[in-house]
C-alpha cells in the first residue's frame, strides 16, 4: 500500500489578511507559510496508519504544486515523517490546475490511497480532492472524519448533516478528510528535521493545463458597528434587544 | 437552456438549503433568460417534489432507485452531469455542504466547467461571468471570473433567502444511462436523532473553555432546547474531548452562518471568528471585557456564563409564555 498526501502551502491561520496592487494580489509581506491545516491532519493520520505495525503500508509520499518557495513546507512534512516528497514546479492559478497537475503525476506512478484535506484555509475552494478523483476516475469519499484498518480493509467514517456513515471502498481511491481524522497534527522533532534533509524530494515539470477561473479582485470586510453592552444584572434587556431591535428571537 | 439544481433530500423531505438553491436559481434564471430544472435523487414523495415549484422550479426531474439511498460520489456525479447535458444546462448549482463539496468538483471536471464554490450571492456580472465569494474563511471577499461556457456553482447555506415564486411545474422521471450502483459500500449509519443540524440551524448556542468543565454544559443544552437551536463549541473544547469534533465551529471546523449565534465563554480567537463571522447576529458572554469576541459581537455581556445562562433561560421562558 502506497499513500499519497496532497499538501497545500498556505498562510498561517493567524495571518492578518491584506491585499496590494489595487486589491488584486494577496500581500505576502511578513506572512508565515504553513501546511494547510487539514492536509497536516491527513499527513499525521497517514503516518499513524503506517507506523501501526500489521498495517500493510509501505510508504507515505507528499506532493505539492508550487515554485521553489514551497520547499520548506515539503521539508516540514518530511521532518514530520513522510518518506519522500514531490514538487510540481509551477505557480498554480486555481484548484483546477492543482488537481490536473497532481492527477498527471499519479497516472504515471499510481498510489493506493490518496488523502486530501477538505479545503484550503486561504481560498476555501474545497475542490482539489474531488477534481483529482474525477480526473483519475477513482472513487472518492468526502468529509471523512476517521480512517482505519479493520483486518486488511480500510474503513472510513463519513460525516453527513445529521450523522455518520461507515464505508469501505476498493483501492485506489481518494479520501477527502476533515477535522476528527486525528487528534492533533504532529510537530517535527529535531531528529526528524535532520533526517528530512536527506529524504528524496523530486521536482517534476508541469503539464499544460487550462485555467478556467481567475480571482479578479479582493475586498476586506467593512468594520462592524461596536458591540452593544448589556448589564449582567439586567439579562432581560438582552432578550428585549434580540426580540425588538435585532428581531432574531 | 437551463440552470440545473441538485436538490438534496433527507429521508424523503427536502433540506431547507434545497429551497434556498431553487430561490437563488430562480433569480439567476430571470437575469440569464433561462429556466430552472430541479434534480432530485432518491425516494421523494410527489407532494414533496411539487414543493420545489413554489420557489421557481420550472421542471422537476426525479431519479428513483433503491441503490441511490447512499450517496456514492461517482454514481451521483455521473447522474447529475448527465442531467446537465440533457437539459443543456449552462449553470449547475449545488449546496456548499458536505454533499455539494463532494460532488461539485467532480461534476466540474466531468463537464469541463470552471467552479465557483461557497458563493454568498448572485453573480456581479454575467458576461464575463463574475461571482463573489468569501475567502480566508470569511476574513476577506473576492470576485472570481469563471471563463467556461458551463459553470458549476456551490451556494453557502443560509446566505440566500427562500423566496416564493409559484410556478406550474411539471415532474418528470429521469432514467440515467449511468449505472446506479457504485463501488463504495456502506456498512453502517448512525443518525443523531432529535438533534438540530449545526450547519442548518437558525440559532446556534456555542460555548468555550470559559465553561470550565464539560459537566457545565447542562444550561447550554437547556438554552438550545428552548430556542430550537443547535449546540456548538470552540476548538480547545473539542480538542480536550469535552464536546464531539462535529460541534467545533471555526476556521478548521464548521463554518456557519446562523441568524443568531451565542458565544458563552469563548474568547474569540481569529480562527474561531473566521468560522462564525457570517452569523447575522452574535451575542457574546465573557468574563474578560477585552476578549476579542466583543469586537465581532453585536451584543455583549461581561459576566460569568454560568450566572448569566440561568437568568437568560428564565427571561426567554417568560417572554415565550
Amino acid at each position: 500500500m502506497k499513500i499519497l498526501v496532497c499538501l497545500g502551502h498556505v498562510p498561517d491561520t493567524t495571518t492578518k489578511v491584506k491585499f496590494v496592487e489595487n486589491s488584486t494580489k494577496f500581500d505576502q509581506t511578513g506572512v508565515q507559510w504553513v501546511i494547510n491545516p487539514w492536509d497536516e491532519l491527513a499527513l499525521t493520520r497517514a503516518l499513524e496508519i503506517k507506523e501501526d505495525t500489521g498495517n500493510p503500508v509501505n510508504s507515505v509520499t507528499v506532493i505539492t504544486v508550487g515554485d521553489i518557495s514551497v520547499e520548506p513546507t515539503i521539508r516540514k512534512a518530511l521532518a514530520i515523517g513522510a518518506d519522500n516528497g514531490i514538487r510540481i514546479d509551477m505557480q498554480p492559478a486555481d484548484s483546477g490546475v492543482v488537481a490536473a497537475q497532481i492527477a498527471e503525476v499519479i497516472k504515471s506512478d499510481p498510489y493506493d490511497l490518496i488523502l486530501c484535506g477538505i479545503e484550503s484555509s486561504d481560498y476555501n475552494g474545497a475542490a482539489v480532492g474531488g477534481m483529482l478523483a474525477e480526473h483519475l476516475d477513482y472513487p472518492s469519499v468526502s468529509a471523512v472524519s476517521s480512517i482505519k484498518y479493520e483486518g486488511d480493509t480500510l474503513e472510513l467514517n463519513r460525516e453527513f448533516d445529521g450523522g455518520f456513515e461507515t464505508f469501505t471502498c476498493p483501492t485506489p481511491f481518494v479520501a477527502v478528510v476533515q477535522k476528527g481524522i486525528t487528534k492533533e497534527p504532529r510537530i517535527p522533532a529535531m531528529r526528524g528535521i535532520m533526517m528530512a534533509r536527506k529524504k528524496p524530494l523530486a521536482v517534476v515539470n508541469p503539464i499544460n493545463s487550462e485555467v478556467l477561473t481567475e480571482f479578479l479582485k479582493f475586498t476586506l470586510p467593512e468594520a462592524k458597528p461596536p458591540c452593544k453592552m448589556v448589564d449582567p444584572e439586567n439579562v432581560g434587556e438582552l432578550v428585549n434587544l434580540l426580540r425588538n431591535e435585532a428581531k432574531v428571537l | 437552456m437551463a440552470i440545473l439544481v441538485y436538490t438534496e433530500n433527507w429521508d424523503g423531505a427536502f433540506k431547507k438549503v434545497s429551497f434556498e438553491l431553487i430561490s437563488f436559481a430562480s433569480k439567476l434564471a430571470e437575469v440569464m433568460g433561462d429556466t430552472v430544472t430541479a434534480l432530485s435523487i432518491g425516494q421523494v414523495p410527489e407532494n414533496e417534489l411539487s414543493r420545489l415549484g413554489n420557489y421557481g422550479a420550472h421542471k422537476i426531474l426525479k431519479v428513483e432507485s433503491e441503490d441511490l439511498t447512499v450517496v456514492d460520489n461517482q454514481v451521483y456525479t455521473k447522474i447529475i452531469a448527465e442531467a446537465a447535458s440533457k437539459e443543456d444546462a449552462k449553470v449547475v448549482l449545488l449546496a456548499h455542504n458536505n454533499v455539494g463539496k463532494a460532488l461539485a468538483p467532480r461534476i466540474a471536471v466531468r463537464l469541463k466547467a470552471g467552479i465557483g464554490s461557497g458563493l454568498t450571492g448572485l453573480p456581479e456580472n454575467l458576461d464575463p461571468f463574475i461571482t463573489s465569494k468569501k475567502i480566508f474563511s470569511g476574513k476577506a471577499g473576492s470576485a472570481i471570473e469563471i471563463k467556461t461556457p458551463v459553470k458549476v456553482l456551490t451556494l453557502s447555506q443560509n446566505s440566500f433567502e427562500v423566496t416564493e415564486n409559484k410556478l406550474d411545474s411539471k415532474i418528470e422521471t429521469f432514467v440515467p444511462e449511468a449505472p446506479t450502483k457504485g463501488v463504495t459500500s456502506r456498512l453502517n449509519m448512525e443518525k443523531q436523532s432529535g438533534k438540530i443540524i449545526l450547519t442548518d440551524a437558525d440559532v446556534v448556542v456555542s460555548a468555550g473553555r470559559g465553561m470550565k468543565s464539560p459537566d457545565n454544559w447542562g444550561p447550554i443544552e437547556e438554552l438550545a432546547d428552548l430556542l430550537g437551536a443547535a449546540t456548538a463549541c470552540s476548538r480547545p473544547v473539542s480538542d480536550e474531548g469535552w464536546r464531539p469534533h462535529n460541534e467545533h465551529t471555526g476556521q478548521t471546523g464548521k463554518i456557519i452562518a446562523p441568524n443568531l449565534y451565542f458565544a458563552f465563554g469563548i474568547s474569540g480567537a481569529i480562527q474561531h471568528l473566521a468560522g462564525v463571522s457570517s452569523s447575522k447576529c452574535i451575542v457574546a458572554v465573557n468574563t474578560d471585557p477585552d476578549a476579542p469576541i466583543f469586537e465581532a459581537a453585536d451584543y455583549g455581556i461581561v459576566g460569568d456564563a454560568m450566572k448569566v445562562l440561568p437568568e437568560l433561560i428564565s427571561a426567554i421562558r417568560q417572554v415565550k409564555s
Side-chain angles (χ1 to χ4, degrees):
Chain A
M1 160 83 75
K2 283 168 71 190
I3 303 179
L4 181 70
V5 183
C6 305
L7 298 183
H9 167 83
V10 299
D12 183 272
T13 52
T14 57
T15 302
K16 189 127 179 57
V17 177
K18 287 179 298 213
F19 300 100
V20 289
E21 291 179 34
N22 201 18
S23 296
T24 57
K25 274 206 169 64
F26 172 66
D27 185 1
Q28 303 200 4
T29 324
V31 168
Q32 272 275 54
W33 295 87
V34 297
I35 303 173
N36 180 41
W38 293 274
D39 304 344
E40 201 178 19
L41 291 174
L43 170 62
T44 302
R45 187 63 196 138
L47 296 170
E48 287 166 359
I49 294 172
K50 186 191 161 204
E51 286 157 12
D52 190 351
T53 50
N55 286 341
V57 177
N58 306 96
S59 62
V60 174
T61 303
V62 292
I63 189 164
T64 301
V65 184
D67 62 20
I68 188 113
S69 69
V70 308
E71 287 207 354
T73 293
I74 304 177
R75 287 282 172 210
K76 187 184 171 195
L78 297 175
I80 290 170
D83 297 293
N84 61 307
I86 302 169
R87 176 171 71 82
I88 302 172
D89 190 18
M90 72 175 308
Q91 278 276 34
D94 67 0
S95 43
V97 171
V98 171
Q101 295 292 342
I102 295 178
E104 203 57 28
V105 169
I106 296 171
K107 277 178 198 162
S108 62
D109 180 17
Y111 292 82
D112 305 286
L113 170 62
I114 298 150
L115 296 174
C116 297
I118 197 158
E119 64 179 57
S120 69
S121 60
D122 48 8
Y123 298 106
N124 311 120
V128 172
M131 286 179 159
L132 185 56
E134 189 64 26
H135 277 297
L136 296 164
D137 199 19
Y138 286 1
S140 60
V141 183
S142 279
V144 172
S145 56
S146 150
I147 181 162
K148 61 172 198 278
Y149 270 101
E150 279 298 326
D152 51 11
T153 315
L154 281 168
E155 266 190 28
L156 311 153
N157 254 352
R158 169 169 86 178
E159 191 183 344
F160 61 90
D161 291 336
F164 291 93
E165 297 165 303
T166 310
F167 278 91
T168 57
C169 186
T171 54
F173 71 91
V174 176
V176 180
V177 312
Q178 62 165 10
K179 194 77 215 265
I181 189 82
T182 187
K183 209 167 149 44
E184 265 179 60
R186 227 175 246 194
I187 297 162
M190 204 50 197
R191 186 162 172 272
I193 296 169
M194 303 297 286
M195 281 168 65
R197 293 187 191 150
K198 291 183 196 135
K199 287 181 177 171
L201 196 172
V203 179
V204 177
N205 286 325
I207 53 156
N208 280 329
S209 53
E210 229 183 318
V211 179
L212 309 181
T213 63
E214 186 188 349
F215 280 97
L216 303 178
K217 208 164 173 74
F218 301 106
T219 50
L220 288 172
E222 283 168 36
K224 241 185 131 146
C227 179
K228 214 174 242 189
M229 300 311 287
V230 176
D231 185 348
E233 302 302 323
N234 189 9
V235 175
E237 176 60 13
L238 175 64
V239 177
N240 178 37
L241 288 167
L242 292 177
R243 277 167 61 91
N244 301 316
E245 189 178 81
K247 296 186 169 47
V248 286
L249 206 66
Chain B
M1 282 200 296
I3 296 173
L4 183 79
V5 185
Y6 170 56
T7 44
E8 215 182 310
N9 74 84
W10 175 237
D11 274 352
F14 287 114
K15 292 184 175 173
K16 179 176 160 240
V17 71
S18 295
F19 300 115
E20 292 172 6
L21 292 173
I22 295 290
S23 305
F24 177 94
S26 170
K27 279 274 177 294
L28 183 57
E30 212 177 286
V31 287
M32 288 178 71
D34 285 348
T35 58
V36 176
T37 302
L39 175 68
S40 163
I41 304 179
Q43 317 282 347
V44 180
E46 204 86 347
N47 60 344
E48 181 69 9
L49 284 169
S50 66
R51 284 182 71 201
L52 296 171
N54 296 347
Y55 306 97
H58 295 83
K59 191 203 279 186
I60 297 149
L61 293 180
K62 61 168 180 176
V63 184
E64 289 178 316
S65 156
E66 275 290 296
D67 298 338
L68 298 168
T69 324
V70 181
V71 180
D72 179 284
N73 292 343
Q74 273 179 307
V75 170
Y76 269 58
T77 296
K78 284 178 186 151
I79 293 173
I80 298 170
E82 205 179 307
S85 306
K86 169 182 135 63
E87 292 294 299
D88 191 20
K90 291 291 165 272
V91 173
V92 180
L93 180 68
L94 298 96
H96 196 61
N97 59 7
N98 279 349
V99 174
K101 284 183 203 173
L103 299 176
R106 294 200 73 131
I107 296 166
V109 168
R110 203 163 180 87
L111 297 174
K112 298 189 169 36
I115 189 167
S117 58
L119 307 189
T120 49
L122 289 164
E124 289 169 20
N125 196 49
L126 290 181
D127 192 17
F129 196 91
I130 299 171
T131 175
S132 53
K133 72 166 279 196
K134 291 190 175 173
I135 54 169
F136 289 98
S137 310
K139 283 191 263 178
S142 65
I144 316 167
E145 182 185 345
I146 303 176
K147 299 165 188 258
T148 46
V150 177
K151 287 111 188 147
V152 173
L153 308 178
T154 64
L155 179 69
S156 288
Q157 301 193 101
N158 223 349
S159 63
F160 201 85
E161 207 155 319
V162 175
T163 342
E164 273 197 43
N165 175 18
K166 202 165 166 42
L167 296 180
D168 202 8
S169 48
K170 50 178 186 206
I171 300 171
E172 281 176 23
T173 300
F174 171 50
V175 182
E177 281 169 31
T180 51
K181 194 129 191 73
V183 293
T184 55
S185 47
R186 185 168 78 178
L187 307 178
N188 171 10
M189 174 172 67
E190 249 179 73
K191 273 194 213 176
Q192 295 166 305
S193 55
K195 282 198 80 175
I196 312 277
I197 295 163
L198 180 52
T199 46
D200 269 0
D202 287 328
V203 181
V204 173
V205 180
S206 186
R209 230 171 355 189
M211 300 303 290
K212 297 198 180 76
S213 154
D215 303 331
N216 290 339
W217 247 260
I220 294 293
E221 283 174 348
E222 194 184 341
L223 179 61
D225 279 348
L226 184 61
L227 297 172
T231 49
C233 70
S234 67
R235 176 174 169 169
V237 162
S238 76
D239 282 355
E240 288 293 330
W242 290 8
R243 300 294 292 178
H245 282 297
N246 55 10
E247 279 199 0
H248 165 204
T249 39
Q251 187 157 34
T252 54
K254 295 217 160 58
I255 312 277
I256 54 170
N259 292 331
L260 177 55
Y261 180 76
F262 285 96
F264 291 98
I266 293 177
S267 62
I270 192 165
Q271 296 94 332
H272 184 78
L273 297 180
V276 303
S277 60
S278 299
S279 307
K280 294 182 184 77
C281 178
I282 298 179
V283 177
V285 178
N286 204 296
T287 48
D288 176 7
D290 298 323
I293 188 78
F294 289 119
E295 280 162 41
D298 298 282
Y299 300 102
I301 293 181
V302 178
D304 182 355
M306 291 307 282
K307 285 211 188 89
V308 172
L309 271 161
E311 288 178 35
L312 183 59
I313 289 167
S314 79
I316 293 172
R317 281 233 164 86
Q318 229 164 38
V319 297
K320 281 208 162 187
S321 62

